[in-house]
Amino acid sequence: MKFDCINHVILFGGGDTLVRFALNLLGRGYHVEVVTAERRREDPIPMRGKIVPLEDFLKLQKILFHISKDVNTDKAVIKKITPQTMGFSIAASWIFRKEFIALFRGYLLNHHGAPLPWFRGGGGMSWRILQNYRPGFNLIHQVDEGVDTGPILKMREFVYPDQCRVPQDYFNINIEREEEFLCQFLDDIKNGKDFHLTAQAKDSGSYWPRLSTEHQGYINWNWSLEEIESFICAFDDPYAGASTLINNKRVYLKKCCVDGSDGPFHPFQNGLVYCKRGDALAVALREGSLIVGEVKDAQGRSMMTEIRLGDRFHTPVQYLESAMQFRAFYAADGLKKQKEKAIAS
């Protein structure tokens, strides 16, 4: 597969990697346009020491863009596609349909930050934190009618450093790695490389659905200490945090770590705040202590000074059941409403 006929690129999606790729494409003489969704227009983008919304960044950089509800039927998008157009998806909000894919004649690609056929789907970094899976991947594959099932053009593997604990840590590493990888892809094109397409194995792999922190991030205090720590880490920055109740109020926990210097404790002590260590809380669990560095309410206000020794973090069973039954589906304008009624916060 060669790209010598391509002079126009439509980028689908949002985020820092997409805008960096757009700037690199422009610097190499490509005509570039961005198609994003309503829910991505406020994506935070670093610019000259500040953070600006994606929409403002694109305007300031004079990059053409379009907000689309559904690219598959959007005539304003379809009419832009020519025989010289490559489509490139980076965290796009849509599932591309057969007829739309066909318009690109094989030149609709997707960047996926995980190994394929493993870790298809969404919520990838949170799922991998839960599994303590530390290999990192940059991968470009051709888009087909499945979800992350198309043949692979280019891939690279690396290992995240031990300091990475929460999603934002991994994202910070990804930004540099992804830009470097995508620039290598552009260098390959410039050098006339003929890419070999490698089909994915059809009888193996895994798929993980997208997540909603608000609906699914409830802590089960009957899990082991390590399982609770990894769960809280998985919903830490840039997300709102894993949630639970204390004194009948919903709160969100972040900045947690395991400490084995005290305990073990009896299961009846699970969730009890038994000590304050500086600005952190020590919470009892069977295997030891969970050190909690940040507790906030639904409005983002710190609850640390309001929590007293002897208070207990607890998540009622109905909240846990609702979290397990909930499945997050996202449309271009955000999370779709579910048939299951979520527990009120």
Side-chain angles (χ1 to χ4, degrees):
M1 183 178 185
K2 301 193 76 171
F3 291 79
D4 49 5
C5 64
I6 301 298
N7 58 28
H8 173 223
V9 180
I10 302 177
L11 298 175
F12 298 98
D16 198 6
T17 294
L18 180 140
V19 298
R20 291 187 181 211
F21 192 36
L23 294 174
N24 278 297
L25 285 162
L26 287 168
R28 293 168 185 255
Y30 289 93
H31 174 55
V32 177
E33 300 180 64
V34 171
V35 178
T36 192
E38 180 65 34
R39 70 183 181 91
R40 305 301 304 269
R41 68 195 306 164
E42 297 295 323
D43 282 2
I45 307 296
M47 183 178 185
R48 299 169 191 159
K50 299 188 297 183
I51 300 295
V52 300
L54 172 63
E55 182 175 14
D56 291 353
F57 181 93
L58 296 172
K59 288 178 180 178
L60 290 168
Q61 294 293 331
K62 295 181 170 54
I63 299 173
L64 295 174
F65 72 96
H66 174 69
I67 309 294
S68 180
K69 186 173 183 180
D70 183 1
V71 295
N72 295 286
T73 57
D74 192 330
K75 294 180 180 179
V77 175
I78 292 171
K79 72 178 184 181
K80 297 176 184 290
I81 303 168
T82 75
Q84 288 76 46
T85 300
M86 174 176 72
F88 205 102
S89 167
I90 301 177
S93 300
W94 312 274
I95 299 295
F96 300 110
R97 298 179 195 161
K98 180 179 179 180
E99 296 78 10
F100 187 77
I101 296 169
L103 296 174
F104 288 90
R105 303 165 298 105
Y107 290 99
L108 179 57
L109 308 178
N110 178 56
H111 175 268
H112 192 72
L116 293 175
W118 301 96
F119 291 101
R120 290 172 176 153
M125 202 54 68
S126 293
W127 290 118
R128 281 181 277 173
I129 290 171
L130 291 174
Q131 291 186 239
N132 193 28
Y133 184 89
R134 302 198 75 83
F137 279 81
N138 298 129
L139 184 149
I140 297 171
H141 69 90
Q142 197 175 52
V143 173
D144 62 12
E145 296 171 65
V147 178
D148 301 326
T149 56
I152 297 168
L153 278 76
K154 181 179 177 68
M155 66 176 291
R156 179 180 67 174
E157 182 178 0
F158 59 94
V159 177
Y160 290 105
D162 291 340
Q163 300 94 303
C164 290
R165 301 188 71 250
V166 305
Q168 190 62 59
D169 296 335
Y170 292 87
F171 295 154
N172 292 339
I173 298 291
N174 285 345
I175 291 299
E176 303 299 329
R177 295 275 189 172
E178 289 169 355
E179 182 175 21
E180 179 186 34
F181 176 74
L182 292 173
C183 284
Q184 288 175 359
F185 173 61
L186 295 179
D187 288 340
D188 290 340
I189 292 174
K190 181 180 179 181
N191 294 330
K193 180 173 179 176
D194 189 355
F195 292 87
H196 174 69
L197 296 175
T198 304
Q200 296 186 43
K202 295 183 178 181
D203 56 353
S204 64
S206 62
Y207 171 85
W208 303 102
R210 292 182 182 274
L211 292 164
S212 167
T213 303
E214 186 67 15
H215 295 88
Q216 296 170 293
Y218 284 102
I219 301 165
N220 186 334
W221 293 97
N222 290 318
W223 288 337
S224 72
L225 176 57
E226 288 76 14
E227 289 167 344
I228 291 173
E229 182 204 27
S230 65
F231 187 81
I232 295 171
C233 286
F235 290 95
D236 205 314
D237 291 343
Y239 310 119
S243 55
T244 186
L245 273 66
I246 192 165
N247 299 323
N248 296 315
K249 185 179 182 67
R250 186 179 182 181
V251 292
Y252 299 79
L253 276 58
K254 291 185 176 182
K255 296 180 173 58
C256 295
C257 65
V258 168
D259 185 349
S261 59
D262 296 335
F265 300 97
H266 188 278
F268 185 65
Q269 295 172 289
N270 281 3
L272 283 170
V273 178
Y274 71 90
C275 182
K276 291 191 176 184
R277 298 181 181 174
D279 295 329
L281 307 176
V283 181
L285 286 158
R286 277 174 293 184
E287 300 87 352
S289 308
L290 180 72
I291 307 303
V292 181
E294 183 176 294
V295 182
K296 292 186 176 180
D297 65 13
Q299 288 71 45
R301 296 184 295 240
S302 176
M303 298 289 294
M304 298 295 280
T305 59
E306 299 181 32
I307 296 173
R308 300 165 299 176
L309 295 179
D311 287 345
R312 187 193 297 266
F313 290 110
H314 172 65
T315 309
V317 172
Q318 65 267 31
Y319 284 66
L320 300 175
E321 289 289 337
S322 178
M324 294 296 283
Q325 294 174 28
F326 188 90
R327 180 167 179 181
F329 291 98
Y330 289 87
D333 55 354
L335 182 69
K336 292 183 180 179
K337 291 183 179 179
Q338 304 297 296
K339 292 182 180 178
E340 299 85 0
K341 186 176 181 180
I343 299 293
S345 59

